[in-house]
Amino acid sequence: MSSLLTLEHLDPEHLDAATKAIHNVLLSDVAESTFSQIIDGMPTFETYVEFHYPPRGHPINAHETLCDGALEKTRSLRADLNLLTLGFDLRAVQAFQNSEIRSDEFELRLIELIATACHQIAVRLYQLDDGVHKHHEHEAWLAEALSLIPEDKPYAARLLPPPTTFFHWHYQASHQYPHGIADVVGYWAEAKIFGGVVVFDRGESESEAKRVFLHADRLEGPRTLYPPTESQRRGLIRFLLSEPAQGTPCPLPMLDSMDNRPRYEAYDAFAYFHIFRDRYERELPPQRQIKDVCSAVDFPEIEDQQYIVEQTWARALGEPTDEAKLAAAEERMRHITPSSPCWSGPKPWI
């Protein structure tokens, strides 16, 4: 874990861009809702089931709306927040400072700072434990649930939530996080606001920001990491750098579609392809564990491969084919990753 630096060390132009972007995100509906739930002490049932199946007998099943005062408290804390008190990785701040305004590096490093800011704010709000639902409410339920697990079924504990109801399944290594369980909440907040935990292709040096990826955790979404589309990224930058009075549409969260490519398995991204934000953020199992059955939700190229086979067969039979659509599918197949079940090249784990 490297040293932290505040934004006040940026030059005026970079500082203006960073603070404007953070303010714009904090004023968005999705950020306001996310932070209000953390302040309340428990996500609403609707939010929880976006990510996880509801635990039987948990108070969350009856938590349909925010409790009184949570939204107002969020807005009050937002108004009082001094962004210059937030600490950022020294290397991230320096890389942003060194970037040319409006360059690709500038935009990627700006996104990194924004994600880190939202994570930190979530950490601070959780640590307050000042909502209607105190931390001990979930902790007591969890302790009882653990006590009821039969001795011959210890694996059942893995199906229970961690010591907080705000969590992403892949980001629970609280024992190695700077702020413990509060950082688990921070990663959840990223997933809720941005569409996934915000990570980067760090390159061979593991210090770059070559491309941004989202690691989502929604029940109906992909288990794979995906990059924002060019349209999503352009919309995000336009929103981040806009003046509040302009009313620029907020593109958050950036959810997946068949256009978000290429995809990486979560294990592969972290273990082999240098995709992460901080090396401490995840703890991998001892061996690569990948599902035997894949779908186009995880790897859209599965549909392309099927289409190519069908069209090739139709052509052989003298039936009409859509050559332009076929060529587009073949082109997309040239840009898949070794994680893909359609990949036929060498793989780093073999």
Side-chain angles (χ1 to χ4, degrees):
M1 302 176 193
S2 67
S3 302
L4 300 181
L5 205 64
T6 61
L7 296 180
E8 63 187 338
H9 292 84
L10 296 171
D11 66 37
E13 195 170 11
H14 283 81
L15 176 61
D16 178 66
T19 54
K20 181 187 296 181
I22 296 172
H23 276 301
N24 283 340
V25 172
L26 296 185
L27 289 169
S28 68
D29 291 341
V30 66
E32 186 173 81
S33 171
T34 298
F35 293 136
S36 293
Q37 291 177 70
I38 295 173
I39 286 175
D40 198 14
M42 186 179 294
T44 63
F45 178 79
E46 181 181 12
T47 289
Y48 190 88
V49 297
E50 284 181 38
F51 298 90
H52 316 292
Y53 295 108
R56 183 179 299 177
H58 195 285
I60 207 165
N61 291 284
H63 194 228
E64 297 182 356
T65 60
L66 283 173
C67 296
D68 291 344
L71 180 59
E72 292 73 20
K73 188 176 294 183
T74 300
R75 291 171 175 170
S76 175
L77 290 171
R78 182 179 63 199
D80 294 338
L81 176 64
N82 180 359
L83 298 183
L84 298 184
T85 64
L86 299 176
F88 298 83
D89 185 289
L90 184 152
R91 294 168 298 184
V93 175
Q94 189 62 59
F96 180 61
Q97 174 62 59
N98 293 344
S99 66
E100 182 180 348
I101 298 293
R102 294 288 188 167
S103 66
D104 192 57
E105 176 79 0
F106 169 86
E107 294 179 356
L108 287 166
R109 293 299 185 174
L110 178 63
I111 294 171
E112 182 175 5
L113 294 182
I114 305 314
T116 302
C118 289
H119 182 111
Q120 284 193 60
I121 292 168
V123 165
R124 290 188 180 187
L125 296 179
Y126 180 77
Q127 289 173 331
L128 292 175
D129 195 14
D130 194 32
V132 171
H133 300 279
K134 305 297 184 185
H135 297 170
H136 66 72
E137 183 176 354
H138 170 66
E139 291 165 356
W141 175 90
L142 181 59
E144 181 178 1
L146 288 169
S147 71
L148 296 176
I149 294 176
E151 291 185 5
D152 61 338
K153 297 181 179 179
Y155 57 84
R158 297 197 298 269
L159 302 177
L160 295 174
T164 177
T165 48
F166 303 101
F167 68 100
H168 185 302
W169 276 117
H170 288 271
Y171 295 81
Q172 297 185 48
S174 58
H175 60 283
Q176 60 192 37
Y177 293 162
H179 303 99
I181 289 295
D183 277 313
V184 174
V185 179
Y187 289 118
W188 173 87
E190 290 182 48
K192 179 66 177 170
I193 294 170
F194 295 96
V197 175
V198 181
V199 294
F200 298 86
D201 179 351
R202 294 301 196 187
E204 292 290 336
S205 69
E206 298 209 331
S207 62
E208 302 171 70
K210 301 173 69 174
R211 191 172 192 179
V212 61
F213 286 85
L214 296 170
H215 190 177
D217 194 33
R218 285 174 165 75
L219 283 177
E220 296 184 0
R223 69 170 191 270
T224 47
L225 279 68
Y226 62 88
T229 64
E230 186 60 24
S231 175
Q232 285 175 323
R233 181 173 154 178
R234 292 268 68 81
L236 176 61
I237 295 300
R238 188 162 50 248
F239 169 71
L240 293 177
L241 298 179
S242 66
E243 298 296 336
Q246 289 180 282
T248 303
C250 175
L252 299 174
M254 295 181 288
L255 302 181
D256 68 288
S257 73
M258 299 295 281
D259 296 327
N260 294 92
R261 311 183 190 204
R263 303 292 182 89
Y264 284 94
E265 288 282 5
Y267 185 100
D268 300 347
F270 196 80
Y272 304 113
F273 297 105
H274 316 287
I275 299 175
F276 59 91
R277 192 165 74 243
D278 298 294
R279 266 301 179 194
Y280 61 73
E281 68 200 27
R282 292 174 57 202
E283 191 171 50
L284 296 183
Q287 294 182 326
R288 186 176 186 266
Q289 299 171 344
I290 304 298
K291 291 183 179 179
D292 294 331
V293 179
C294 296
S295 75
V297 173
D298 297 318
F299 293 98
E301 59 266 26
I302 290 176
E303 286 194 358
D304 287 327
Q305 186 179 60
Q306 182 178 355
Y307 182 78
I308 291 169
V309 170
E310 292 171 350
Q311 290 294 291
T312 302
W313 184 246
R315 182 193 291 159
L317 295 175
E319 297 175 359
T321 59
D322 187 330
E323 294 299 323
K325 190 174 178 182
L326 177 59
E330 290 173 336
E331 177 60 26
R332 288 192 293 269
M333 289 294 292
R334 295 188 182 97
H335 302 283
I336 64 177
T337 73
S339 280
S340 173
C342 303
W343 178 268
S344 58
K347 299 179 180 181
W349 51 88
I350 295 178

